[in-house]
Amino acid sequence: MVLPDIKSQAREELAARFAEWTVPAYRLDQLLHWLYVRRVTSWDEMSNLPRDFREKLREHFSLQSLELDTKQGSRDTTQKFLWRLADHSLIESVLIPANPSLYGEASDRHTLCVSTQVGCAYGCKFCASGLEGWKRNLEPHEIVEQVLAIERDYSGGTLPTNASRSSEDRLKAGLQTGSERLVNNLVIMGMGEPLANYDHLLKALTILNAPWGGGIGARKITISTSGLVPQIRKLADEALQFRLAISLHGATDEVRGKIMPVNKKYPLKELAAACEYYQKKKGRMITFEYILMAGVNDSLEQVEPLAKLAQKLHAKVNLIPYNKVEGLPWERPSEPVQEQFLKNLEARGVTATLRREKGHDIDAACGQLRLKTERSLNTLAQ
Ligand code: SF4
């Protein structure tokens, strides 16, 4: 029998179970402290819980942690983690310091880009994650663990070189005692379409947001979607104030439809209406992610409809120069073309940024490290 994992349980669920077991309420706080503050990986480490209670927990719940397969760091200190799950599937998380050393600033604040599925069914033409299809949804604890496992790794490991000595020491000491969080921003933008794993994602984010869990503010959590219209509307009706980012990558159905099959099911008009609903319900600015691909969506003809859409929805536009994926034909536009696109957007009154892909030298575009590792494992197995 497969046991449910303890880190897929909300506090109320555990409280109800402990009440049935007639376990005193304070034991729940002790357990949650071990899980989310001390980030332990075994029941035996929970030294202030009575042995028979630990046995009971062991009988009813699993306590899985992610196994690190590969870690890659890049010059600008973005780091990519390839994790092996209990069923040997591979997933990725990318850790991005707030101020890369490239710009000469120190920071102990980090954004973590989290995966939500093994593979992806949505098949965006520019993306490595969708290349070999969808395998399964991640369980809530597998999403939660991406944060905890990286913090565990850092508490014993070396911090990025851009962290100043004093903040490095403070952070490391804090991580070891559990009084500090390394990850204070989440972007749900890794492998998979987050809103296609809606229930598990919401459960995981509820745990990561809760004061008894991760304690990461909902406003520091951005959910990115390729444009699943019904789920965007559903998310708008949730109580938590997550930020929403849309992987747009094309401002007309013609261009978007060429690179994102999802656009056939949910064309731009429907997507824009769902975004408007989200924006009105939450009163928050939406972000459009727009990967600039040479000769595909970087022409000035895309600027006008993109500007109109952004203004209508009070959306900010993040322009991201394409990150080359092995085996795919797309190229990144030249820097003057990127700059021109940005300038033309700004001239139309749109708030826009042009981002250098921080993990360019470590295959940080989603799914690439996993794809490479799986392919080389398959080759070895042949
Ligand atoms: S961009 Fe996102 S939705 Fe599209 S294939 Fe890649 S992981 Fe899936």
Side-chain angles (χ1 to χ4, degrees):
M1 189 184 67
V2 180
L3 296 176
D5 197 272
I6 193 92
K7 279 173 277 180
S8 282
Q9 313 300 311
R11 185 188 168 95
E12 316 75 75
E13 293 170 298
L14 290 172
R17 182 63 74 92
F18 292 2
E20 274 170 32
W21 294 350
T22 61
V23 169
Y26 70 90
R27 293 289 184 209
L28 177 55
D29 292 324
Q30 289 176 321
L31 171 71
L32 295 171
H33 187 83
W34 285 115
L35 294 176
Y36 300 110
V37 180
R38 303 299 302 272
R39 311 170 193 95
V40 298
T41 56
S42 72
W43 303 112
D44 295 336
E45 286 170 88
M46 302 180 181
S47 51
N48 62 356
L49 300 185
R51 191 179 293 267
D52 56 343
F53 178 42
R54 275 186 267 156
E55 277 314 309
K56 195 136 191 172
L57 287 168
R58 199 192 308 265
E59 277 166 29
H60 289 82
F61 297 102
S62 64
L63 175 56
Q64 291 179 13
S65 44
L66 298 180
E67 187 193 324
L68 185 63
D69 182 281
T70 312
K71 181 164 71 170
Q72 285 184 344
S74 77
R75 281 190 303 274
D76 60 7
T77 73
T78 291
Q79 288 194 302
K80 175 170 272 200
F81 295 76
L82 185 69
W83 306 109
R84 191 170 295 281
L85 305 178
D87 66 354
H88 303 292
S89 296
L90 295 169
I91 56 161
E92 298 175 7
S93 319
V94 180
L95 187 67
I96 309 153
N99 299 300
S101 56
L102 223 54
Y103 307 107
E105 292 170 49
S107 171
D108 58 3
R109 298 291 164 212
H110 292 74
T111 296
L112 185 67
C113 180
V114 168
S115 291
T116 51
Q117 298 183 305
V118 182
C120 183
Y122 284 81
C124 301
K125 301 278 189 260
F126 48 82
C127 170
S129 290
L131 274 181
E132 295 193 349
W134 175 86
K135 193 167 165 196
R136 71 171 175 87
N137 283 335
L138 293 190
E139 296 294 319
H141 67 273
E142 292 169 325
I143 300 172
V144 169
E145 253 294 297
Q146 291 173 61
V147 174
L148 302 179
I150 280 176
E151 292 183 338
R152 233 176 261 132
D153 187 76
Y154 269 76
S155 66
T158 318
L159 290 162
T161 49
N162 73 327
S164 71
R165 198 65 229 164
S166 59
S167 71
E168 177 178 333
D169 290 345
R170 183 172 56 77
L171 181 59
K172 197 161 174 176
L175 284 167
Q176 278 160 356
T177 58
S179 62
E180 286 267 354
R181 276 249 95 91
L182 173 80
V183 176
N184 62 343
N185 264 292
L186 288 180
V187 288
I188 318 301
M189 231 177 246
M191 190 192 308
E193 163 51 63
L195 296 186
N197 186 13
Y198 191 94
D199 292 342
H200 288 179
L201 173 68
L202 262 278
K203 185 82 177 278
L205 293 184
T206 302
I207 293 169
L208 285 168
N209 166 253
W212 52 263
I216 301 171
R219 286 157 194 263
K220 304 267 180 168
I221 300 175
T222 303
I223 301 175
S224 171
T225 174
S226 62
L228 305 196
V229 164
Q231 288 90 331
I232 292 173
R233 290 181 177 273
K234 196 170 166 195
L235 192 65
D237 295 332
E238 300 283 351
L240 286 169
Q241 295 279 351
F242 300 120
R243 290 175 181 272
L244 181 67
I246 305 291
S247 295
L248 196 68
H249 315 317
T252 57
D253 283 323
E254 197 206 340
V255 169
R256 194 167 192 263
K258 266 189 209 153
I259 48 177
M260 299 186 72
V262 69
N263 196 72
K264 296 199 174 63
K265 191 160 187 196
Y266 302 117
L268 277 170
K269 198 164 167 220
E270 283 180 42
L271 177 58
C275 290
E276 200 167 3
Y277 181 71
Y278 192 92
Q279 205 270 330
K280 288 218 167 102
K281 286 285 289 229
K282 300 292 186 199
R284 303 196 59 78
M285 194 180 235
I286 288 173
T287 304
F288 287 151
E289 303 288 338
Y290 195 100
I291 297 179
L292 283 169
M293 298 159 69
V296 177
N297 63 0
D298 62 343
S299 77
L300 298 183
E301 279 144 40
Q302 285 294 296
V303 172
E304 194 60 50
L306 178 56
K308 269 198 187 141
L309 202 57
Q311 272 165 340
K312 182 166 177 238
L313 298 171
H314 310 288
K316 176 183 169 235
V317 178
N318 274 348
L319 299 174
I320 309 151
Y322 181 66
N323 210 17
K324 183 86 184 136
V325 175
E326 211 178 291
L328 294 182
W330 321 107
E331 297 289 339
R332 124 186 328 221
S334 68
E335 282 184 19
V337 169
Q338 299 170 22
E339 294 296 342
Q340 197 58 31
F341 199 95
L342 173 68
K343 253 192 213 146
N344 278 287
L345 267 184
E346 287 175 336
R348 286 164 177 79
V350 175
T351 308
T353 56
L354 173 62
R355 192 163 87 199
R356 296 243 152 269
E357 194 65 56
K358 292 195 181 97
H360 193 47
D361 55 339
I362 56 157
D363 302 329
C366 73
Q368 290 194 61
L369 179 60
R370 167 186 172 257
L371 197 67
K372 270 191 188 166
T373 308
E374 290 215 323
R375 283 183 176 167
S376 59
L377 288 176
N378 288 343
T379 314
L380 285 175
Q382 278 164 11

